[in-house]
Structure formats: structure tokens, C-alpha cells
Amino acid sequence: MIDLRALRKFFTGPDLEGRAKHTYRRHFAHIVFLAMGEAILANAPIMALKGMESPDWQMALEKSISSIGMFLLIYLGSVMAVRRKMPFLFFPGIAYALCALAMAFIDDPLPFLILLGLGTLFDNILRPALTAIVRLNYPVETRGAVVGELRKWSSILFLGTGLLSAALLDFATESQRVMIRGQMVAAGLLLIMGFAVFRTIRVREDAPEREARPRVRFADSLKASVHIVKTDRRFRRYLAIGFFYCFGGMTFASFIPVLLTKDLRLSYVETTLLTHVFPAMVTFFTTGYIGQWIDRVSTWKAWFWIRLGWGLDAVVLAAAPFAAALFPLAALVLPFAARLFRGVVQGGSYILWWEVAVNHFAPPGEDTTRYMGIIMFLNGLGRLGGPLFGAFLVTRFNAAVVLLAGGGIVLFSSFLSYLEHRRERDVARLRTMETYENSFE
């Protein structure tokens, strides 16, 4: 028998009141526009490969270039800590949109992918401000559920838009460049609308609305970050294990389209279906529940399972070309199995890495953006080194070897996360993000 209450809950989302409800409505509208714009941009590497004949190594450009913005967050995280958060989200968001619009006027794959990397750079810069706004405007006991709900609907919109984008590209065989230009313009306009809506949120700042703007020196911000890393051993372990996860994931992420389009010889639609659409469909049905689960368990336990699924995705995908030589059906079965692993965990990874896991390490208050800035700086190192390592491997071997190497590193980070879960599981104040945050009251 169908549980109508559960069905209603699936479509209505978390029960919120006051400022949290006000934030959620605008946050939801924001992700509607953002998901559609980013779905188009997610197909940009495939456009470069198939529509502009990009060399395989150029697939590393987006991730490597975007890492530069993360190095700035050691400083910007400290600046955000004592300033209003919204400008640090809105203006990089608009710059992200302008990069997408500029891509419409590029016919060469190299500058096209460089602009994509610059856009992702600005998207990365705004992440600590978004994390702080989520922490300030939503109750601690519902943050995972809220972000999971938003990510759930984002995934289904991403799915539909990405598939439509790919179908139009396959249809426009005689006018590929015109179609690419039109899609980049659409992506840029959607991003602009998304960030304009988000700016209407009233942020509950730590400091008064009309606060003075204290000057933050780079040396002071660096000193504050070094102090955090030096004195917080638990956070240091989180950073080290997170680096393995990021480096391994970035090693293979850029080369999945290469394996699908060249090793398995798939079309635009087939490649998009496996790269984005099928994982997003799985994410739609799982992420809402995973967000609620993250609120109830240790961050380390959540990371163990999520990193396990992420690593298995790459390893199983890497096996597909070899298995297909023996069993042709494996060319279809193994990629779908791999992407199933990815779809189940990718929403949870987003929730933890970009939004809420920092709440299990940073004390409440202005240090949230400092801690997040350090995490993003480390992410930048992984995003710079991982794709370059992948590019090195792909020029000497093939995409399958890249996926196998990166997936192995991610699985190692999963194992280390399990060890940390065992270390902390009997410490009452560390059992969940809620017990950790409430221990400061």
C-alpha cells in the first residue's frame, strides 16, 4: 500500500518556519535556474570533443584552471568571516555567467575550455559564502535535509536539461557551431537569473547589517589559517583524507567523456545519458533521503559510504572497454552499473563537501568561512594536480588506466574515512553535526 504521507513529503520537502522558510523558497528558485544553466555547461567538454575536435589532454583544462580560485580562498575566507556574505556569492556568480556568455563567441576548443575553467573558478570562489549562508539561515538539525532536498530537485532539472541539450546537438549535425553558441547564451542567461533570485535572500549575519568593513591583510588571513591547521588535529586529518578523495576524483573526472566517446564510441545523447542524465536520475530519487541520513550520522560514516561509491564508479567504468572486447553487452551493462554507484552517492558528496560537513569541524561563528576557505584551498591543490596527473596518464596509456588509478585513490580515502569513523564513534559530542554544534552552547 502506498504511504501517502511519505509521498507527500517527497514532493513538499522539509518543514521550515520563519527565516528558514523564506530562505528555502528563494534558494529553491535559485537552484532551478542554476541546474538548467549548469546542465548545458556540463556538456561543454563533449561539445569541445565532438564539435570542435579537441585533443584529449585539453579535458584537464577546466578542473586545473578552476583550482586557481581555490588558492585565493585562504585569504577570501578570512575576509568573508568579517564581512556580509551575499556580495561574495553574487558577484562571482555573475562573473561565472559572463564566462558562459563569452563562450558563445568562441570557435576554437582551447579558449572555449579555458573560459569554461574560468567560469568554474568563479563558481568555486563563492562556495564558502554559500556554506556560511546555509549555516546562518537554516537550523542545524535540518541542514542536511534541506540541502539534500534542493540537490534532489536540482538533479532532475539537470537531467532533463542536459538530455535536451545533447539531443539538440545530435539533431543539429549541419549547424553544430550555431547550436553551441545558442546553448552557451542560454546557459549564461539562466545563471544570471539564478544569482539574481538568490540575492533577494535576507541573510542572518553574525555582525550588524551596517557593520564597519575592517581591513583584512593577507598575512593575517594566512596566519589565522595556519593556526587553525596547526592546532586542530582532527581537522588536519579531515584535510589529509579529503585531499586523497579530491585528487583521485579529479584524476579521472575529466576523462570520463574520453572513455565513452572514443573507447566505447558513443554519441552525444549516449555520452550525456551516461555522464550526466542517468546519475542525475538516480540522484533525484536518493538524495533527499541521504540528506536526512547525513543529519543523523557521523560525517566520517557518511564519507566512508559516499567515497566507496565514488571510487567503484571509476573502477567499474575502467573495466568496461576490456570486458566489452570479450562480452559486447558489457559495454552497456558495466557503464550503467558504474553510473548507478555514482548516482547514489553524488548528491551526498555535494551536501558534505560543498555545504555542511565543515559544520562538524568548525566551531559556530565567523570561523565557518575560514575553515571552508582552507578546505577549498586543499580542493584547489587536488583540482590542479589531479587533472594534470590524469593528462599525463592518458598521453601514455588510455582513459581506462586514468579511471583505474583515480578510482583506486578514492577507494583509499574511503578506507581512511572508515578508520576515522571507528576512532570517533564512541565520543558522544562527535556523533553527529548537531551534537557537535550543540556542545558549544
Side-chain angles (χ1 to χ4, degrees):
M1 186 174 179
I2 297 175
D3 187 342
L4 295 179
R5 291 182 60 186
L7 185 63
R8 178 179 177 275
K9 186 73 174 177
F10 182 86
F11 287 99
T12 58
D15 296 323
L16 300 169
E17 297 179 354
R19 186 182 299 274
K21 189 173 184 178
H22 168 274
T23 300
Y24 181 77
R25 287 174 174 172
R26 286 154 180 78
H27 201 169
F28 191 93
H30 162 75
I31 66 102
V32 168
F33 291 115
L34 210 66
M36 292 189 290
E38 291 187 336
I40 297 171
L41 289 174
N43 283 337
I46 308 173
M47 297 176 194
L49 278 171
K50 295 181 72 69
M52 302 179 184
E53 299 181 352
S54 169
D56 294 352
W57 68 266
Q58 290 184 0
M59 294 298 101
L61 287 172
E62 178 201 353
K63 299 292 190 296
S64 295
I65 292 171
S66 68
S67 69
I68 298 169
M70 294 181 172
F71 299 139
L72 300 175
L73 290 172
I74 286 289
Y75 172 66
L76 291 177
S78 290
V79 176
M80 292 178 199
V82 295
R83 302 279 184 88
R84 294 173 57 217
K85 308 301 183 291
M86 186 59 75
F88 290 95
L89 184 143
F90 177 73
F91 292 109
I94 295 300
Y96 178 25
L98 293 177
C99 287
L101 288 173
M103 290 169 69
F105 302 96
I106 303 296
D107 290 329
D108 186 284
L110 181 60
F112 183 82
L113 291 168
I114 288 173
L115 277 170
L116 180 63
L118 287 173
T120 310
L121 181 155
F122 289 114
D123 183 40
N124 290 335
I125 284 177
L126 62 83
R127 296 293 173 170
L130 177 60
T131 299
I133 292 170
V134 167
R135 191 172 199 176
L136 289 166
N137 276 35
Y138 293 114
V140 60
E141 65 274 11
T142 64
R143 287 178 198 146
V146 164
V147 177
E149 193 70 18
L150 292 169
R151 193 63 179 173
K152 176 179 80 177
W153 291 106
S154 171
S155 68
I156 199 70
L157 290 164
F158 188 96
L159 181 160
T161 307
L163 188 57
L164 176 62
S165 163
L168 290 172
L169 287 163
D170 268 338
F171 178 76
T173 53
E174 302 299 323
S175 53
Q176 284 276 293
R177 298 300 173 87
V178 174
M179 179 57 68
I180 291 171
R181 289 191 186 101
Q183 292 201 16
M184 290 302 103
V185 170
L189 293 177
L190 286 164
L191 293 178
I192 288 172
M193 289 187 287
F195 287 106
V197 169
F198 197 88
R199 198 180 189 186
T200 64
I201 291 173
R202 298 191 300 271
V203 181
R204 185 176 66 83
E205 302 283 358
D206 291 325
E209 186 74 14
R210 297 295 182 183
E211 65 179 344
R213 296 187 174 185
R215 183 180 178 184
V216 179
R217 297 186 305 171
F218 178 78
D220 292 337
S221 66
L222 185 61
K223 183 178 179 181
S225 298
V226 169
H227 176 75
I228 288 171
V229 174
K230 186 177 179 180
T231 58
D232 195 334
R233 292 178 60 190
R234 181 168 172 264
F235 185 56
R236 279 205 307 273
R237 293 196 296 271
Y238 183 70
L239 292 175
I241 296 169
F243 177 77
F244 284 116
Y245 174 59
C246 179
F247 184 87
M250 291 299 103
T251 294
F252 69 80
S254 301
F255 300 97
I256 291 174
V258 175
L259 183 136
L260 296 176
T261 60
K262 296 192 174 180
D263 293 1
L264 297 178
R265 301 182 183 279
L266 302 183
S267 68
Y268 270 119
V269 170
E270 291 167 335
T271 302
T272 300
L273 181 67
L274 283 168
T275 306
H276 305 300
V277 175
F278 179 65
M281 183 173 64
V282 177
T283 297
F284 173 69
F285 289 106
T286 60
T287 303
Y289 301 108
I290 289 175
Q292 297 170 36
W293 174 69
I294 285 172
D295 284 329
R296 300 192 303 267
V297 301
S298 160
T299 296
W300 287 118
K301 182 177 182 179
W303 268 132
F304 161 64
W305 287 108
I306 287 165
R307 288 167 174 167
L308 179 64
W310 206 273
L312 287 174
D313 168 44
V315 171
V316 174
L317 265 179
F322 302 103
L326 301 173
F327 307 100
L329 190 60
L332 181 65
V333 173
L334 289 183
F336 270 100
R339 303 275 81 187
L340 177 64
F341 289 126
R342 173 64 171 267
V344 169
V345 302
Q346 72 177 1
S349 178
Y350 177 89
I351 293 168
L352 287 172
W353 190 253
W354 299 107
E355 301 272 356
V356 303
V358 68
N359 300 340
H360 209 177
F361 299 90
E366 66 181 27
D367 272 346
T368 300
T369 56
R370 291 192 179 99
Y371 272 71
M372 196 63 193
I374 296 168
I375 291 171
M376 297 295 287
F377 178 84
L378 189 82
N379 191 300
L381 293 175
R383 291 177 77 91
L384 177 62
L388 295 178
F389 179 53
F392 169 80
L393 291 177
V394 83
T395 57
R396 284 157 178 77
F397 302 101
N398 54 42
V401 171
V402 177
L403 267 67
L404 188 62
I409 296 170
V410 172
L411 290 175
F412 179 61
S413 75
S414 173
F415 172 69
L416 294 178
S417 299
Y418 174 73
L419 295 181
E420 289 302 309
H421 166 59
R422 291 193 62 181
R423 181 202 296 267
E424 295 187 357
R425 64 184 175 184
D426 294 326
V427 182
R429 68 183 291 266
L430 300 180
R431 284 178 184 165
T432 66
M433 281 177 275
E434 183 179 1
T435 58
Y436 173 77
E437 192 160 312
N438 288 341
S439 70
F440 290 90
E441 295 181 354

